[in-house]
Amino acid sequence: MDRPEETGGGSGPTRGREATRARILASAKELFTNEGYGSVSSRMIASHAGVNVALINRYFGAKRGLLTEILREDGVFPGLIEGDPATLTRRLAEHAVSRLHGEGTALQRALDDSAGDPDLQAVYQGRITSAMIDPLEAYLGTDGARAHASLMAAVMLGLTRVRLVEGATALRALDRELLTDRLRVLLDLCLEDFGEPGAPEEPEGPRGTEGAGEG
């Protein structure tokens, strides 16, 4: 026989289901943070939350679904995108540099340590679109917004990839404000108009007169 939180009908069971769901999420977040994503199983989460493991599959599909929901609720994106358009690229640059230096929530740092996990990679791949490119496109709301949003995401994710793969030691050794400003300039360039497809570039002026004699 199902427990009240596992059945439908009425506000009481609904509240029970919501409470159970929230308890599972809280347990998953705590365990992912303390143990690392790859070291935590659905059974561990169920035991910690005091529920049957079948409820995880019912509410979230699998452990990956739990992580997706946690990141949806607690992730920086798309909230970071909201705000004054004039400071959008500055906000994104500051966030990227802070992550480059290993800053962030305890959960973010724990997930960094599990970056090679296939489940984690699949979740992040989905969030590239749902939490970054789609919200950026809607926020920009201009012709070509999708292309601009995709290019900005590529810059941000490229920096993340360098950090995870190579360590970004040289970048982290740079002056932080200088690096933030350089990244902001790159993101500003991502917002520049692409122009009409196939339109010829403006011809450059004659070369060879400026700097003549500088050997």
Side-chain angles (χ1 to χ4, degrees):
M1 182 175 179
D2 287 339
R3 295 186 299 177
E5 67 265 28
E6 299 175 35
T7 61
S11 59
T14 298
R15 285 195 297 270
R17 288 195 301 273
E18 291 173 350
T20 299
R21 189 176 183 278
R23 194 161 71 248
I24 293 171
L25 280 171
S27 291
K29 182 177 179 181
E30 181 177 338
L31 289 171
F32 291 161
T33 300
N34 295 335
E35 307 293 336
Y37 179 82
S39 300
V40 175
S41 67
S42 293
R43 290 191 178 278
M44 290 172 62
I45 296 169
S47 176
H48 189 279
V51 302
N52 191 301
V53 69
L55 285 180
I56 293 179
N57 295 329
R58 176 179 295 187
Y59 292 147
F60 303 101
K63 187 177 77 166
R64 181 191 300 182
L66 269 168
L67 179 60
T68 299
E69 184 64 16
I70 290 170
L71 291 177
R72 187 188 68 80
E73 292 184 355
D74 293 352
V76 172
F77 292 97
L80 187 64
I81 297 168
E82 301 167 357
D84 184 359
T87 59
L88 171 64
T89 56
R90 178 73 188 185
R91 294 195 302 275
L92 294 178
E94 288 176 345
H95 170 72
V97 172
S98 73
R99 297 294 289 124
L100 184 73
H101 283 271
E103 298 169 5
T105 66
L107 176 62
Q108 287 173 329
R109 294 194 297 271
L111 293 179
D112 284 348
D113 293 335
S114 302
D117 187 281
D119 263 8
L120 191 57
Q121 290 179 353
V123 170
Y124 280 155
Q125 285 170 7
R127 279 185 59 80
I128 290 171
T129 299
S130 65
M132 186 178 292
I133 296 178
D134 285 350
L136 268 172
E137 179 186 15
Y139 182 85
L140 295 173
T142 58
D143 290 340
R146 186 73 178 186
H148 292 300
S150 297
L151 192 54
M152 294 177 79
V155 171
M156 299 284 288
L157 294 169
L159 191 63
T160 298
R161 179 56 55 188
V162 170
R163 172 174 61 87
L164 294 176
V165 173
E166 188 266 344
T169 305
L171 292 176
R172 289 189 286 110
L174 293 174
D175 177 80
R176 185 163 177 156
E177 184 60 30
L178 178 64
L179 181 59
T180 299
D181 194 58
R182 182 64 59 89
L183 184 56
R184 178 192 59 77
V185 171
L186 288 174
L187 292 170
D188 283 337
L189 285 173
C190 294
L191 295 175
E192 290 288 329
D193 189 359
F194 289 111
E196 292 295 326
E201 295 183 1
E202 289 292 328
E204 296 183 8
R207 296 179 178 271
T209 55
E210 293 184 11
E214 294 182 7

